Amino acid sequence: ATGWREHGPILLFYWAPGCRRGAAAPAGRGRGAAYQAISVTDFFVGRYGRFDALAAKAVKEAKKRHPEVTLTLVLPYHPALRPVDSPPGFDATYYPWENEHIPKRLAILKTNQRMVDTCDHLIAYAFHFLGGSGQIVAYARKREEKGLIHVTNLAQQRSAI
């Protein structure tokens, strides 16, 4: 994944447990303009929840109209420990800890923090701020106050539900 940051604005999708099926599809009707308006071409998504699946589906649809768009699967665990092939429609996988050791119990939290630190935009679905999902959105909001990232929490937008 060396050099991936050079492509332009990066958007990370992040979900919180409890995302309902069909809720807040990130690039669904009327929402695709959001990433187009900021010229995002590189999308990063996890694979542990419904929102991740919704986000990946939306980006795969966008790729049909915009071949320059890339979709990358973010891996919180080292691929040697948990081998993962790029799923259909994904362009690559990305493991941000190649030269560092992250304890397994902290892998998801630290990976999410790393992605927030390196992305330009975050689209999240976090309807409460308890546990890890709340910590990540709060962390991203603090970075947003410094002008380092733009955060959209679809759970706080009534029209997105």
Side-chain angles (χ1 to χ4, degrees):
T2 303
W4 64 268
R5 189 69 176 92
E6 299 166 6
H7 295 284
I10 307 293
L11 189 141
L12 170 69
F13 290 107
Y14 183 73
W15 74 286
C19 177
R20 296 181 310 229
R21 184 177 306 278
R29 275 197 327 214
R31 294 184 192 95
Y35 76 84
Q36 291 172 355
I38 55 176
S39 301
V40 171
T41 56
D42 300 315
F43 293 83
F44 287 75
V45 66
R47 60 181 261 166
Y48 291 109
R50 288 184 183 154
F51 187 74
D52 290 331
L54 287 169
K57 181 178 179 183
V59 175
K60 288 174 190 177
E61 287 298 315
K63 287 176 62 158
K64 293 176 184 175
R65 296 180 308 280
H66 305 280
E68 70 279 11
V69 168
T70 64
L71 177 59
T72 301
L73 176 63
V74 178
L75 305 174
Y77 303 106
H78 196 285
L81 300 173
R82 291 191 182 182
V84 174
D85 293 326
S86 287
F90 282 78
D91 299 293
T93 60
Y94 176 64
Y95 177 70
W97 306 107
E98 202 59 50
N99 297 319
E100 300 174 51
H101 173 72
I102 299 299
K104 187 176 175 182
R105 65 182 175 80
L106 297 176
I108 292 175
L109 176 66
K110 291 295 187 184
T111 298
N112 289 336
Q113 286 175 341
R114 171 68 59 93
M115 295 309 298
V116 165
D117 288 345
T118 56
C119 289
D120 301 298
H121 304 275
L122 168 69
I123 295 180
Y125 187 90
F127 60 91
H128 63 76
F129 294 93
L130 304 172
S133 59
Q135 290 175 5
I136 292 301
V137 173
Y139 179 75
R141 289 283 186 206
K142 287 179 184 173
R143 291 184 57 77
E144 184 177 45
E145 290 171 3
K146 297 175 184 177
L148 300 173
I149 189 171
H150 178 74
V151 179
T152 301
N153 185 356
L154 296 175
Q156 294 177 332
Q157 298 178 359
R158 289 273 182 214
S159 63
I161 299 176

